[in-house]
């Protein structure tokens, strides 16, 4: 299973764009990259998933370079409610029984 | 989006009690369900992988006789913590996925806070 590395914590201010990068040097050909958000005492919530290049949805963008050894989650104009832990997962539902290993995650703190 | 319901959300019980936690996928058929454990300020640790109709696969160091997993249908998996002790107190989270299709993310329940007195 691919191991992921993220910054332990990040601080930002309301209205700023936040970019969180995840390193996954041993990503496999079949692996997808998925980002989750977790609030205290809740399960992780799906944010976005991608395989290569750029993916955008209503809440975030995901940038994946050609070598796929890293990815960057971009949150536009964050608010206080975006304060949470963000995890990137690397894996595929059809490979390795769909297992992925959670890294330590990035604790994002948004300040007023 | 896909909804996974976990019940109960909070359990407090005496040492020696067995506790059952249910995980249901409400709007899709989950061929695979995962059970995680999370301690305060730590990441999620995978305990076991549960496939419908077959025995669960446990991660190294997880006692299968302690944490009984049943995945009897495509929408329900249960985790039973047998003879629970204070060291079993933790936040347990399940997720569901469709293993037969590629590119299917895990969808998580809201977790169960287990406190053993």
């Amino acid at each position: 299973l691919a191991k992921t590395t993220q910054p332990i914590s990040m601080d930002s201010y309301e209205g700023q764009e936040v970019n969180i990068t995840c390193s996954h040097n041993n990503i496999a050909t079949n692996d997808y990259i998925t980002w989750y958000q977790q609030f205290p005492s809740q399960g992780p919530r799906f944010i976005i998933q991608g395989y290569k290049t750029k993916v955008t949805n209503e809440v975030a963008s995901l940038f994946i370079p050609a070598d796929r050894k890293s990815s960057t989650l971009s949150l536009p104009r964050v608010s206080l409610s975006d304060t949470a832990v963000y995890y990137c997962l690397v894996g595929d539902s059809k490979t390795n029984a769909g297992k992925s290993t959670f890294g330590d995650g990035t604790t994002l703190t948004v300040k007023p | 989006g896909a909804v996974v319901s976990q019940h109960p959300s909070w359990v407090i019980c005496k040492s020696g009690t067995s506790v059952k936690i249910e995980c249901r996928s409400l709007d899709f058929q989950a061929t695979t369900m995962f059970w995680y454990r999370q301690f305060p300020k730590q990441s999620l640790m995978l305990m076991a992988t549960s496939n419908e109709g077959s025995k669960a696969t446990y991660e190294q160091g997880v006692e299968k006789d302690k944490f009984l997993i049943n995945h009897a249908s495509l929408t329900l998996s249960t985790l039973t913590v047998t003879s629970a002790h204070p060291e079993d107190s933790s936040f347990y989270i399940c997720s569901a996925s469709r293993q037969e299709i590629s590119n299917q993310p895990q969808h998580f329940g809201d977790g169960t806070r287990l406190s053993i007195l």
Side-chain angles (χ1 to χ4, degrees):
Chain A
L1 298 177
K3 178 179 168 58
T4 60
T5 304
Q6 302 173 231
I8 294 297
S9 64
M10 293 181 70
D11 289 343
S12 183
Y13 290 92
E14 281 190 293
Q16 289 188 335
E17 177 184 77
V18 171
N19 296 309
I20 306 174
T21 298
C22 179
S23 296
H24 28 80
N25 291 320
N26 59 338
I27 187 170
T29 303
N30 294 334
D31 288 345
Y32 288 79
I33 301 156
T34 311
W35 283 81
Y36 292 87
Q37 175 192 56
Q38 186 182 29
F39 296 112
S41 297
Q42 293 186 25
R45 183 175 71 92
F46 173 86
I47 301 174
I48 197 166
Q49 182 182 61
Y51 184 81
K52 61 181 179 180
T53 63
K54 177 183 175 182
V55 179
T56 298
N57 62 21
E58 61 275 11
V59 298
S61 294
L62 178 59
F63 299 92
I64 305 168
D67 66 5
R68 303 196 334 118
K69 293 184 184 299
S70 67
S71 58
T72 299
L73 173 72
S74 182
L75 304 172
R77 298 179 298 281
V78 294
S79 62
L80 296 177
S81 61
D82 293 317
T83 294
V85 180
Y86 292 82
Y87 295 97
C88 75
L89 254 65
V90 173
D92 178 52
S93 44
K94 284 190 72 175
T95 309
N96 289 322
K99 294 196 299 184
S100 297
T101 301
F102 274 84
D104 291 333
T106 298
T107 299
L108 172 65
T109 303
V110 180
K111 303 176 182 179
Chain B
V3 179
V4 175
S5 173
Q6 196 170 333
H7 178 80
S9 56
W10 194 292
V11 179
I12 302 174
C13 58
K14 294 181 179 180
S15 183
T17 306
S18 292
V19 178
K20 180 185 284 189
I21 303 169
E22 291 187 350
C23 180
R24 293 181 184 273
S25 59
L26 299 184
D27 53 0
F28 71 103
Q29 294 186 325
T31 50
T32 305
M33 289 186 175
F34 302 93
W35 288 95
Y36 295 85
R37 185 173 181 176
Q38 187 175 33
F39 291 107
K41 304 291 185 183
Q42 294 187 22
S43 184
L44 284 76
M45 290 175 44
L46 180 65
M47 298 174 65
T49 303
S50 163
N51 289 294
E52 186 263 340
S54 62
K55 290 184 178 181
T57 302
Y58 291 82
E59 295 300 301
Q60 191 173 8
V62 177
E63 300 175 58
K64 62 180 181 181
D65 295 330
K66 174 76 170 178
F67 299 99
L68 300 179
I69 292 172
N70 183 276
H71 192 161
S73 77
L74 288 172
T75 59
L76 174 64
S77 176
T78 60
L79 168 67
T80 301
V81 183
T82 62
S83 187
H85 293 284
E87 59 267 27
D88 299 321
S89 297
S90 188
F91 191 52
Y92 292 87
I93 309 170
C94 72
S95 72
S97 180
R98 297 182 63 181
Q99 190 182 346
E100 73 278 14
I101 303 174
S102 187
N103 189 22
Q104 296 298 297
Q106 296 181 43
H107 299 282
F108 290 83
D110 271 339
T112 298
R113 177 76 58 193
L114 176 61
S115 297
I116 308 298
L117 305 177

